[in-house]
Amino acid sequence: MTATQGKLAGKVAVVTGGASGSGAAICREFVLQGARVAIADRNQEAAVRLATELAELGEARAFAVDITDSTAVNALAAEVRAAFGHHADILVNNAGVRIVKPVLEHTDDDWHKMISINLTGHFFCTRAFAPAMVDTGWGRVINIASIASFVGRPDRAAYCAAKSGALGLTRGTAIDLRHRGVTVNAIAPGSIATPLNAEAKNDTDVDWGAETLVGRWGEGRDIALAAVYLASDDASYVNGTTLTVDGGWVSAKARDGEIASHA
Ligand SMILES: NC(=O)c1ccc[n+]([C@@H]2O[C@H](COP(=O)([O-])OP(=O)(O)OC[C@H]3O[C@@H](n4cnc5c(N)ncnc54)[C@H](O)[C@@H]3O)[C@@H](O)[C@H]2O)c1
């Protein structure tokens, strides 16, 4: 497929946290669908590496940014526009981190880090990138939330709070940008095999994949294909909502053994 073909042909997309895991998979699928992609990550080395790798498939450029720095985020919007000769039509707020420890052991820094990266950074990016979408009457904002947006998870209280907030941000922004040709949606991933989850994935005692209705861990590409859909014209009537991509994990909640006893 060339840049003139594909569901995202002619679009410029920025993917925060695009250098690793699901973000990297989103960058790859977007390029395959004809988008020109800005890989925006605080890990510049990894972003440059991915941009080089994707060069044979299409156009991808690396940008260094810390999404918790609003000045840097505003500068990023200008840099992307200058580099591609066009503003970003699509913003994927994907950068995220997770601290795993009991809530009463969360330090001030732990709390602020969870909220600033997983929630405030998404707001900063939306505020920087959405005005150009509104001006031109076409745009897509996709916030990467989590199954932790819906259910409590042990030792992740601040992460759950931030990810629940991401759904509120999604709905509130969708309303404010209504009738402007811009849609704002969220994707809630389940257990995806990325560096964020390396420890759990390598745990031989527990298999998170087996807890899903599909019976496997998710891959970054599962998230990327959902992002392609929401970013495309196919999803023009989908707004302010959340697409859960978790292999049915949230829907499968049942008491221990309950599902097995009905198998
Ligand atoms: N992996 C999962 O199972 C899972 C489940 C639910 C939600 N998520 C969410 O999916 C998103 C992607 O996670 P992943 O698993 O691919 O993680 P990952 O650790 O592989 O990648 C995260 C990327 O974000 C970048 N990043 C972190 N802080 C940043 C900042 N301040 N500014 C710019 N870039 C920053 C990192 O450098 C990294 O490249 C996150 O929002 C995460 O919370 C992941």
Side-chain angles (χ1 to χ4, degrees):
M1 201 161 318
T2 69
T4 54
Q5 298 173 307
K7 286 183 180 293
L8 307 179
K11 304 296 187 201
V12 171
V14 58
V15 182
T16 70
S20 173
S22 300
I26 293 168
C27 291
R28 175 179 296 273
E29 287 303 321
F30 276 18
V31 166
L32 286 171
Q33 290 297 334
R36 296 185 289 152
V37 175
I39 306 164
D41 204 293
R42 68 178 174 187
N43 184 342
Q44 193 179 7
E45 203 183 313
V48 168
R49 211 179 312 128
L50 181 63
T52 309
E53 201 183 304
L54 295 182
E56 58 190 60
L57 303 174
E59 190 176 344
R61 294 166 186 262
F63 295 83
V65 71
D66 178 344
I67 59 159
T68 65
D69 176 346
S70 65
T71 305
V73 166
N74 292 339
L76 174 70
E79 286 164 26
V80 168
R81 185 192 279 268
F84 291 97
H86 193 276
H87 69 274
D89 307 280
I90 300 162
L91 165 66
V92 184
N93 282 315
N94 165 78
V97 290
R98 190 176 62 204
I99 285 170
V100 179
K101 59 162 78 162
V103 65
L104 300 185
E105 292 172 20
H106 277 59
T107 64
D108 291 8
D109 279 353
D110 291 337
W111 175 264
H112 291 311
K113 187 175 174 191
M114 284 301 89
I115 303 298
S116 66
I117 299 179
N118 294 314
L119 182 56
T120 311
H122 296 197
F123 159 66
F124 285 163
C125 291
T126 301
R127 191 179 59 182
F129 284 95
M133 301 179 197
V134 166
D135 284 350
T136 52
W138 197 97
R140 296 284 188 268
V141 178
I142 300 169
N143 296 322
I144 304 299
S146 171
I147 48 176
S149 304
F150 309 123
V151 295
R153 307 223 54 218
D155 299 333
R156 292 159 170 80
Y159 182 75
C160 288
K163 289 296 186 180
S164 300
L167 299 192
L169 177 67
T170 300
R171 293 187 283 257
T173 311
I175 291 177
D176 285 359
L177 303 188
R178 67 190 180 282
H179 308 320
R180 316 275 181 92
V182 181
T183 65
V184 184
N185 291 293
I187 294 173
S191 299
I192 311 300
T194 69
L196 185 101
N197 268 332
E199 209 175 307
K201 183 76 170 66
N202 295 330
D203 187 341
T204 46
D205 293 334
V206 202
D207 180 1
W208 289 3
E211 294 175 357
T212 71
L213 297 180
V214 176
R216 67 165 172 86
W217 275 78
E219 300 294 333
R221 187 162 180 269
D222 293 310
I223 305 306
L225 294 175
V228 166
Y229 167 64
L230 290 175
S232 74
D233 281 322
D234 293 344
S236 62
Y237 203 58
V238 179
N239 201 1
T241 196
T242 304
L243 179 50
T244 303
V245 183
D246 69 343
W249 187 86
V250 168
S251 300
K253 289 297 96 189
R255 290 187 302 272
D256 278 354
E258 200 175 31
I259 291 181
S261 71
H262 285 78

